[in-house]
Amino acid sequence: MKGILLTNGVILGDDGKRYLYSPIDIREENPLKKGDRLDFIPQEQNAKEIFLIIDTTPPQTQDLTFLKILGVVGCIIGMAGGFFIIPTIASLVVFLYIFYRIGQISGSKTLFKNYFISSIAIGLSIIIALFIIGPTFIFSISSNSFTLFNSGIFTSFFMVFVIILLGSVICFVYLYKSMSELSIITNNGLFKWYAIFYLIGNITLFLVIGGFILILGYILFLFGWLTMDTIRPSREI
C-alpha cells in the first residue's frame, strides 16, 4: 500500500483510509516529514514496514523552463540597473522567488534560507549605515562644520565601515553556501564560480581589475541559468 504522511503517527493511504504507526515500524534512517510519499504494509488500521518513496521524477519541463527564463531576466535587470535601487530590488525579488521555488522542487530546507540571509545582511547593513551617516552629514553641512576629521563625522564613518564590513562578510558567507548548494542541486558548477568571482571582485573593487572580475562573475551567473537543465531532489545529494 502507498500513502502520504499526514502528521507524525498518521498515514493517509491511497485507499482513502487513515493508518496509524509507531516509530519502530519506520524503516528509514532520516526522519519523515509531512507530505512524504510512503510505502507500507497495512494491517487493519495500522501501518507496518514503512519505507519512504524517493521521487526521482525530474521537475516538469514547464517549471524548469520558467525558472531558467526568470534567472536570465533577473540577471539582465540586475546588470542593466547597476546600482539603481528599483532595478536592484526587482532583481532581488526575482531571485528570491527562484531560490524559493527551486528549494520547493528539490526539497532543500537551506537553499532559500541561505540566499535570503545573504540578501538581507547586505541590505540591512546599507540601510543602517545610511541612518547613521545621513543625519550626521546633514547636521555638519547645516552648521558649517563639515570636515573629514570632525570627531562626529569620523566616528560615523568608522561605524558605517564596520557595519558594512560585517554585513558584507555575512553576505559572502551565505551567498557562497547558497550558490554551492544550487550548483549541486542543478549539477551546474557555474553558480559556485559566480560566488567566488563575486567575492574576489568585491575585495579588489578598488582596483580596475575588480570591476572586470565582477562583470565576469555576472556573465558566469547568466550562463548558469541559460545552461541549467535539471533540478535534483535534495535527498539524492
Side-chain angles (χ1 to χ4, degrees), residues 3-76:
I4 296 176
L5 181 64
L6 290 180
T7 185
N8 288 337
V10 183
I11 300 172
L12 177 63
D14 286 351
D15 59 357
K17 297 180 181 179
R18 296 188 178 187
Y19 296 88
L20 305 178
Y21 70 88
S22 63
I24 61 174
D25 296 314
I26 300 174
R27 300 295 181 260
E28 294 289 335
E29 294 182 0
N30 296 323
L32 301 178
K33 66 180 187 299
K34 183 178 179 180
D36 277 344
R37 185 78 172 153
L38 304 174
D39 181 88
F40 62 95
I41 297 176
Q43 291 184 3
E44 296 182 351
Q45 297 301 315
N46 297 316
K48 304 291 184 179
E49 300 295 323
I50 301 169
F51 291 90
L52 176 70
I53 299 175
I54 299 178
D55 185 10
T56 58
T57 304
Q60 295 182 359
T61 304
Q62 296 93 327
D63 284 339
L64 187 59
T65 302
F66 179 62
L67 291 173
K68 288 176 66 172
I69 293 173
L70 275 184
V72 172
V73 170
C75 286
I76 293 174

Side-chain angles (χ1 to χ4, degrees), residues 178-203:
S178 62
M179 291 301 165
S180 295
E181 186 175 1
L182 183 62
S183 290
I184 296 173
I185 290 174
T186 60
N187 197 29
N188 191 331
L190 290 177
F191 295 115
K192 183 176 181 179
W193 279 107
Y194 157 70
I196 295 172
F197 275 72
Y198 183 79
L199 172 59
I200 297 174
N202 277 278
I203 292 175

Side-chain angles (χ1 to χ4, degrees), residues 75-197:
C75 286
I76 293 174
I77 293 175
M79 289 188 289
F83 294 99
F84 293 102
I85 186 66
I86 293 179
T88 300
I89 293 177
S91 178
L92 175 61
V93 170
V94 168
F95 283 117
L96 283 172
Y97 172 78
I98 292 173
F99 276 77
Y100 173 76
R101 188 73 185 99
I102 293 178
Q104 277 189 323
I105 294 172
S106 66
S108 170
K109 297 180 180 179
T110 56
L111 181 66
F112 174 76
K113 181 185 73 174
N114 288 336
Y115 186 74
F116 180 79
I117 293 175
S118 170
S119 303
I120 292 299
I122 190 65
L124 280 179
S125 64
I126 292 175
I127 292 173
I128 294 172
L130 289 175
F131 271 103
I132 292 175
I133 199 64
T136 303
F137 181 80
I138 294 173
F139 175 78
S140 299
I141 293 295
S142 62
S143 61
N144 296 320
S145 61
F146 178 77
T147 61
L148 184 60
F149 297 101
N150 179 291
S151 60
I153 294 177
F154 181 81
T155 302
S156 296
F157 270 104
F158 179 76
M159 290 175 63
V160 166
F161 172 77
V162 172
I163 290 171
I164 292 181
L165 179 62
L166 179 61
S168 298
V169 170
I170 296 173
C171 171
F172 292 146
V173 169
Y174 281 92
L175 179 68
Y176 183 79
K177 286 183 177 182
S178 62
M179 291 301 165
S180 295
E181 186 175 1
L182 183 62
S183 290
I184 296 173
I185 290 174
T186 60
N187 197 29
N188 191 331
L190 290 177
F191 295 115
K192 183 176 181 179
W193 279 107
Y194 157 70
I196 295 172
F197 275 72

